[in-house]
């Protein structure tokens, strides 16, 4: 068998967890940490190297919300729905993001630019409502201040490129 | 000896061995507890919640399928509250189930429909929330309709535990749980080997055979098409179940007659093909057995799911595989060559329909270019036993009253060796009979080889022919095959004598009598009865060894030449290819 790049990436993870009972979830965490999601080829390679059927891997991957099966996109927009943010209007921000990006929470835009998700408390309730875009934290967000972060790269605010 | 457990069920005393569940104990005293998920072949999973019962002293209701009877237990299986809970369970299932019974493949054969009828449901109090999930017919052998799935998990247990194929799994959880091919892809791209055991165990219409009946009717209607049928060994002892015959009744003659009544111009028997397969395969075996340095063990290849399984997961075994086509494929090839020639027919106008106990045969007929050895697809369409039963019913034929007929002998006469192909161990037994003849020049004094018979998952034995010991193994249920293959590999890697000379494999538990295309409700008891029907057919026959078949002899004289000869190789043999892209 010729080894692909994926096989080599996966080998270290598989080696660490193989033969340890109940370690499939940890190995899958390893894949998600490596790729930002669990690519199908990586799951297949892991299955082969750990001797776990692909069917079992997908049972686990789809059982837990944490695992992503698709690349999360270049910009991950996380809307905090913790109590403070929720009371300060987070649901409206989520609706706005969902509508403007044309995806539901947990989904990625077709062009792979945006991924929208809900998180529970990012630990700065004093700044509520909070939205993060990748590593960047937006504080006391309003519909207006969120708007520019939901635009396609290169687009201006009136929607023209 | 362990102490037996005494208990009562609805006041009836019952005595069972330790570990026996309430569900099984109730059956023992003819108390019926409804269940949708528990199947006699499978472990209890407590998925459906129908089998709840009450035990004195316990405040909660218990699931009978997975609760062992305990000493002095007082069990109640029916009271108004239990019935109310069960009714709620059915209503919850039905609220997620499409209301399509009239056009469903399981109409009048569905465990959920039967239960709903038994409960006399007239309305569902819950809102309908049928999931919007696509149908998967990509295998053209079985059809998966996840909307009709009640998440009982039977198909998954069969696919993963019994068959060790791992094509099916549950995805997601809770309310969103759904059945899907491994990794949420098309079944045709999954490890699925199309054995159809999922469909044979499904309580509803979520997994059924791919229906080819309409195209058969279309061809029967066309006056320019010469339609021929062939009937597989295991079909004759199972089709009667669709018409109220006792299980295992041999209905060969009636089925020939019904096929002619439906419009077939000629009716052949796959048993003839089985005799021919044995002629080729026994010669192949004896050649390898008597030639120094040949690859042994030889492994049988009549079963298309097994061939598929081996190509996907055990490709190192390809050199061990018999090159013989299956009986279905042999009859197809000869129908469009030998028979067409004898009868002066244009082979382009001959339409071959096979009736098989099997869903995978639908795939076998197009699995490689060698399946078109006549210059056309040798078999045009393959029907399951269930589809033929439906066609007979559609025709309005009074099947029990039909008078028995004979097949068209050129490709229809068969021996006892051919008929036992339909059960686990039958191919091995038939091959041993003819191998004996080839090695000694005479028939065995006793043609029955008992060690090949029965429902043990792996059967091993040996027999001495002309001073040589022949060691054989028979495996059925794909999970059992791997045990046998492991032994072969261990010997190969150690460089020692192979543990066997000859291996028979059938993918379905019980062999073809328990095939994925057979009438529903299969259990070991039923498999044994169907097999008994075939062994009786063998015993009652005029000839019991494949090489005695006068029409097979005639075929070699008039057309093929000799076993393993040039023409035989061209029409009756095939090859195998590694397909590692389907990873389990």
């Amino acid at each position: 068998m010729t080894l692909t790049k994926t096989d080599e990436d996966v080998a270290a993870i598989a080696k660490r967890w193989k033969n340890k009972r109940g370690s499939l979830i940890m190995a899958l965490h390893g894949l998600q940490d490596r790729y930002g999601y669990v690519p199908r080829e990586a799951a297949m390679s892991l299955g082969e190297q750990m001797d776990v059927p692909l069917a079992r891997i997908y049972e686990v991957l789809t059982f837990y919300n944490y695992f992503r099966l698709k690349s999360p996109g270049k910009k991950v927009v996380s809307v905090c729905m913790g109590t403070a943010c929720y009371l300060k209007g987070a649901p409206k921000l989520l609706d706005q993001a969902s509508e403007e990006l044309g995806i539901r929470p947990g989904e990625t835009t077709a062009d792979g630019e945006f991924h929208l998700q809900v998180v529970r408390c990012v630990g700065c309730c004093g700044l509520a409502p909070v939205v993060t875009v990748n590593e960047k934290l937006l504080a006391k967000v309003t519909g207006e201040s969120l708007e520019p972060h939901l635009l396609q790269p290169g687009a201006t605010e009136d929607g023209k490129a | 000896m362990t102490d037996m457990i005494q208990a009562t069920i609805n006041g009836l005393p019952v005595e069972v061995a330790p570990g026996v569940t309430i569900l099984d104990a109730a059956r023992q005293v003819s108390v019926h507890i409804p269940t949708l998920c528990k199947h006699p072949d499978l472990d209890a999973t407590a998925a459906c919640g129908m089998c709840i019962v009450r035990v004195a002293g316990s405040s909660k209701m218990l699931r009978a399928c997975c609760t062992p009877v305990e000493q002095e237990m007082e069990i109640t299986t029916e009271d108004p509250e239990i019935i109310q809970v069960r009714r709620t369970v059915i209503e919850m299932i039905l609220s997620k189930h499409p209301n399509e019974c009239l056009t469903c493949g399981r109409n009048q054969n569905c465990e959920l429909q039967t239960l709903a009828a038994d409960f006399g449901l007239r309305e569902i109090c819950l809102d309908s929330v049928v999931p919007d999930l696509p149908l998967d017919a990509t295998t053209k052998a079985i059809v998966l309709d996840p909307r009709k799935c009640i998440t009982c998990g039977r198909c998954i247990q069969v696919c993963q535990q019994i068959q060790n194929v791992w094509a099916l799994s549950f995805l997601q959880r809770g309310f969103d749980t759904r059945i899907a091919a491994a990794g949420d892809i098309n079944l045709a791209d999954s490890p699925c080997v199309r054995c159809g055991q999922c469909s044979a165990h499904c309580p509803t219409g979520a997994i059924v055979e791919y229906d080819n009946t309409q195209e058969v009717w279309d061809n029967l209607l066309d006056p320019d098409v010469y339609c021929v049928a062939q009937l597989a060994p295991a079909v004759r002892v199972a089709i009667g179940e669709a018409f109220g015959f006792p299980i295992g009744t041999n209905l060969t003659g009636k089925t020939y007659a019904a096929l002619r009544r439906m419009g077939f111009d000629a009716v052949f028997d796959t048993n003839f093909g089985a005799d021919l397969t044995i002629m080729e395969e026994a010669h192949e075996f004896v050649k390898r057995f008597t030639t120094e340095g040949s690859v042994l063990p030889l492994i049988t290849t009549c079963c298309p799911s097994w061939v598929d399984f081996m190509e996907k997961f055990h490709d190192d075994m390809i050199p061990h595989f018999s090159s013989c086509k299956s009986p279905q494929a042999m009859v197809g090839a000869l129908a469009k060559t030998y028979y067409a020639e004898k009868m002066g027919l244009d082979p382009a106008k001959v339409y071959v329909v096979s009736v098989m106990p099997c869903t995978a045969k639908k795939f076998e007929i197009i699995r490689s270019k060698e399946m078109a050895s006549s210059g056309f697809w040798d078999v045009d369409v393959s029907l399951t036993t269930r589809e033929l039963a439906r066609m007979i019913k559609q025709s309005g034929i009074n099947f029990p009253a039909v008078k028995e007929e004979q097949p068209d002998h050129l490709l229809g006469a068969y021996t006892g060796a051919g008929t036992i192909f339909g059960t686990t161990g039958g191919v091995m037994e038939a091959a041993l009979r003819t191998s004996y003849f080839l090695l000694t020049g005479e028939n065995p004094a006793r043609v029955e080889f008992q060690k090949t018979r029965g429902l043990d998952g792996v059967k091993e034995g040996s027999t001495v022919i002309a001073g040589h010991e022949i060691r054989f193994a028979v495996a059925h249920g794909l999970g059992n095959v791997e045990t046998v293959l492991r032994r072969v590999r261990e010997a190969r890697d150690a460089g020692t004598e192979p543990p066997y000379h000859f291996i028979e494999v059938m993918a379905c538990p019980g062999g073809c009598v328990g095939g994925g295309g057979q009438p529903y409700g299969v259990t070991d008891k039923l498999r044994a009865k169907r097999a008994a029907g075939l062994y009786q057919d063998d015993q009652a026959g005029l000839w019991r060894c494949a090489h005695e078949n006068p029409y097979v002899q005639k075929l070699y004289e008039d057309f093929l030449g000799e076993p393993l000869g040039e023409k035989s190789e061209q029409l009756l043999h095939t090859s195998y290819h590694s397909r590692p892209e389907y990873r389990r």
Side-chain angles (χ1 to χ4, degrees):
Chain A
M1 194 181 93
T2 48
L3 281 179
T4 63
K5 176 77 179 66
T6 310
D7 291 328
E8 284 170 21
D9 281 350
V10 171
I13 296 168
K15 194 177 157 201
R16 178 163 175 212
W17 297 109
K18 196 178 167 148
N19 302 328
K20 294 200 180 87
R21 257 180 84 86
S23 63
L24 178 60
I25 291 177
M26 298 312 293
L28 293 173
H29 274 292
L31 289 186
Q32 182 145 310
D33 290 346
R34 168 70 184 76
Y35 296 103
Y37 70 113
V38 182
R40 187 176 177 79
E41 315 78 69
M44 287 181 91
S45 179
L46 183 80
E48 197 161 28
Q49 297 187 42
M50 286 183 69
D51 202 17
V52 178
L54 194 66
R56 172 57 42 82
I57 289 178
Y58 272 81
E59 282 169 355
V60 173
L61 285 176
T62 60
F63 188 87
Y64 295 104
N65 290 327
Y66 176 83
F67 291 114
R68 282 192 294 260
L69 297 178
K70 285 188 183 141
S71 169
K74 287 182 194 152
K75 271 190 184 177
V76 179
V77 179
S78 308
V79 179
C80 178
M81 290 279 259
T83 311
C85 292
Y86 186 90
L87 291 172
K88 288 275 199 174
K92 258 183 132 171
L93 296 173
L94 184 64
D95 287 347
Q96 181 191 347
S98 186
E99 194 175 313
E100 292 193 11
L101 297 174
I103 51 174
R104 285 177 298 185
E107 293 180 348
T108 303
T109 53
D111 60 7
E113 284 296 327
F114 288 95
H115 180 79
L116 178 63
Q117 65 180 22
V118 168
V119 291
R120 304 278 171 196
C121 196
V122 287
C124 44
C125 304
L127 304 175
V130 170
V131 172
T132 63
V133 179
N134 291 345
E135 311 301 305
K136 191 178 170 189
L137 187 119
L138 313 177
K140 302 197 174 179
V141 183
T142 62
E144 217 170 297
S145 71
L146 180 61
E147 185 86 39
H149 297 281
L150 303 175
L151 294 173
Q152 289 294 327
T156 58
E157 283 200 30
D158 58 9
K160 288 177 191 137
Chain B
M1 196 189 132
T2 41
D3 288 339
M4 295 296 276
I5 290 174
Q6 319 278 341
T8 62
I9 299 179
N10 301 343
L12 296 165
V14 63
E15 187 182 78
V16 294
V20 170
T21 63
I22 295 175
L23 188 67
D24 288 333
R27 282 196 185 123
Q28 205 175 301
V29 287
S30 301
V31 169
H32 173 67
I33 300 173
T35 171
L36 282 171
C37 64
K38 179 71 183 84
H39 187 285
D41 285 350
L42 307 171
D43 295 334
T45 55
C48 76
M50 274 307 292
C51 68
I52 45 144
V53 296
R54 201 190 286 285
V55 172
S58 169
S59 59
K60 58 179 188 181
M61 293 185 184
L62 300 171
R63 299 192 182 201
C65 67
C66 56
T67 309
V69 182
E70 289 171 20
Q71 208 62 262
E72 311 291 326
M73 239 184 198
E74 290 172 36
I75 301 154
T76 307
T77 72
E78 48 212 35
D79 69 27
E81 199 188 348
I82 292 173
I83 292 164
Q84 186 52 48
V85 173
R86 287 182 187 155
R87 181 194 293 268
T88 306
V89 170
I90 307 181
E91 285 195 47
M92 281 164 60
I93 294 172
L94 291 181
S95 72
K96 277 192 82 176
H97 196 81
N99 226 335
E100 297 168 7
C101 294
L102 288 181
T103 50
C104 177
R106 291 297 292 269
N107 192 15
Q108 292 200 311
N109 244 325
C110 169
E111 295 178 40
L112 180 61
Q113 189 188 44
T114 304
L115 210 56
D118 286 350
F119 271 79
L121 290 184
R122 293 296 175 266
E123 58 177 336
I124 311 295
C125 300
L126 302 160
D127 288 341
S128 173
V129 280
V130 179
D132 182 20
L133 295 167
L135 193 90
D136 183 347
T138 52
T139 62
K140 299 277 183 87
I142 55 173
V143 179
L144 178 65
D145 187 348
R147 297 173 312 137
K148 294 180 184 168
C149 173
I150 61 167
T151 61
C152 70
R154 285 187 195 172
C155 57
I156 292 175
Q157 255 199 73
V158 173
C159 187
Q160 299 186 352
Q161 309 304 330
I162 295 188
Q163 299 298 66
N164 200 17
V165 168
W166 296 82
L168 290 172
S169 69
F170 279 138
L171 294 182
Q172 300 177 260
R173 65 168 155 177
F175 186 80
D176 296 322
T177 306
R178 62 196 167 91
I179 181 80
D184 213 6
I185 49 175
N186 287 333
L187 255 187
D189 300 324
S190 81
C192 176
V193 296
R194 302 158 174 89
C195 70
Q197 282 301 311
C198 50
S199 74
H201 286 82
C202 179
T204 72
I207 308 182
V208 295
E209 70 283 352
Y210 187 90
D211 189 299
N212 292 99
T213 56
Q214 191 52 50
E215 61 183 287
V216 174
W217 283 125
D218 291 345
N219 280 280
L220 286 168
L221 261 176
D222 187 337
D224 291 335
V225 178
Y226 189 89
C227 292
V228 304
Q230 55 163 313
L231 182 68
V235 175
R236 68 202 67 223
V237 288
I239 189 147
E241 290 162 37
F243 299 91
F245 285 89
I247 293 162
T249 310
N250 179 359
L251 295 163
T252 309
K254 281 187 191 291
T255 312
Y256 294 152
L259 288 164
R260 287 209 183 87
R261 210 66 72 77
M262 282 159 49
F264 282 97
D265 297 290
V267 178
F268 304 142
D269 204 311
T270 313
N271 286 4
F272 173 92
D275 281 338
L276 187 59
T277 299
I278 285 302
M279 287 300 283
E280 296 290 324
E281 196 157 351
H283 276 87
E284 187 182 13
F285 172 69
V286 168
K287 190 172 161 191
R288 288 199 193 195
F289 187 71
T290 53
T291 308
E292 194 73 29
S294 296
V295 178
L296 284 172
L298 181 70
I299 307 180
T300 64
T301 51
C302 304
C303 170
S305 287
W306 159 232
V307 169
D308 201 11
F309 189 78
M310 181 276 304
E311 290 187 330
K312 285 173 180 167
F313 312 125
H314 299 288
D315 53 4
D316 62 321
M317 288 290 148
I318 287 178
H320 293 268
F321 257 45
S322 163
S323 64
C324 294
K325 284 182 184 174
S326 73
Q328 144 175 275
M330 288 195 182
V331 171
L334 293 169
K336 294 192 181 183
T337 53
Y338 171 65
Y339 184 80
E341 212 174 286
K342 283 260 180 205
M343 304 297 287
L345 299 166
D346 175 0
K349 292 189 174 156
V350 177
Y351 183 77
V352 179
V353 176
S354 68
V355 185
M356 300 282 131
C358 181
T359 45
K361 290 282 173 187
K362 291 175 185 286
F363 164 70
E364 184 188 69
I365 60 177
I366 50 161
R367 66 166 279 274
S368 71
K369 62 180 190 313
E370 290 131 350
M371 299 300 129
S373 60
S374 62
F376 311 89
W377 286 117
D378 297 333
V379 177
D380 293 279
V381 66
S382 181
L383 299 175
T384 57
T385 312
R386 297 196 289 263
E387 287 166 278
L388 177 63
R390 285 204 294 277
M391 289 183 79
I392 294 174
K393 286 182 180 176
Q394 284 169 24
S395 316
I397 294 168
N398 182 354
F399 191 64
V402 166
K403 215 164 154 268
E404 296 189 2
E405 290 180 11
Q406 292 289 313
D408 290 80
H409 290 295
L410 277 182
L411 298 174
Y414 68 87
T415 74
T419 210
I420 59 173
F421 255 60
T423 175
T424 170
V427 176
M428 180 60 68
E429 186 169 341
L432 289 174
R433 291 178 191 176
T434 290
S435 298
Y436 189 100
F437 176 80
L438 295 178
L439 287 164
T440 65
E442 53 193 61
N443 285 345
R446 275 184 61 83
V447 293
E448 282 143 11
F449 290 81
Q450 294 295 343
K451 281 180 187 157
T452 61
R453 300 189 177 191
L455 287 173
D456 289 343
V458 176
K459 293 168 276 186
E460 296 171 307
S462 66
T463 183
V464 177
I465 300 177
H468 302 286
E469 186 196 35
I470 295 179
R471 297 186 295 276
F472 57 82
V474 174
H476 57 116
L478 287 170
N480 292 320
V481 178
E482 306 200 313
T483 314
V484 173
L485 297 186
R486 196 169 51 242
R487 285 175 202 162
V488 173
R489 287 196 186 101
E490 278 165 9
R492 185 187 61 193
D493 296 345
T496 53
E497 173 89 348
Y500 320 106
H501 301 106
F502 208 169
I503 298 172
E504 176 207 286
V505 177
M506 297 190 189
C508 291
C512 313
V513 288
Q518 293 276 59
Y520 295 110
V522 70
T523 59
D524 268 352
K525 212 166 148 186
L526 187 140
R527 292 180 182 104
K529 284 185 178 173
R530 289 178 185 165
L534 292 179
Y535 286 122
Q536 275 163 22
D537 194 26
D538 167 32
Q539 218 166 0
L542 198 53
W543 313 291
R544 299 188 68 184
C545 297
H547 54 271
E548 295 176 306
N549 185 329
Y551 287 89
V552 168
Q553 292 165 1
K554 181 177 166 61
L555 168 69
Y556 279 110
E557 277 160 31
D558 293 0
F559 185 74
L560 285 176
E562 55 179 1
L564 310 181
E566 196 185 327
K567 206 153 194 174
S568 297
E569 286 292 343
Q570 183 207 328
L571 291 173
L572 310 182
H573 291 260
T574 184
S575 59
Y576 309 97
H577 307 280
S578 170
R579 290 189 290 135
E581 64 273 24
Y582 297 92
R583 290 192 251 184
R584 231 177 339 196

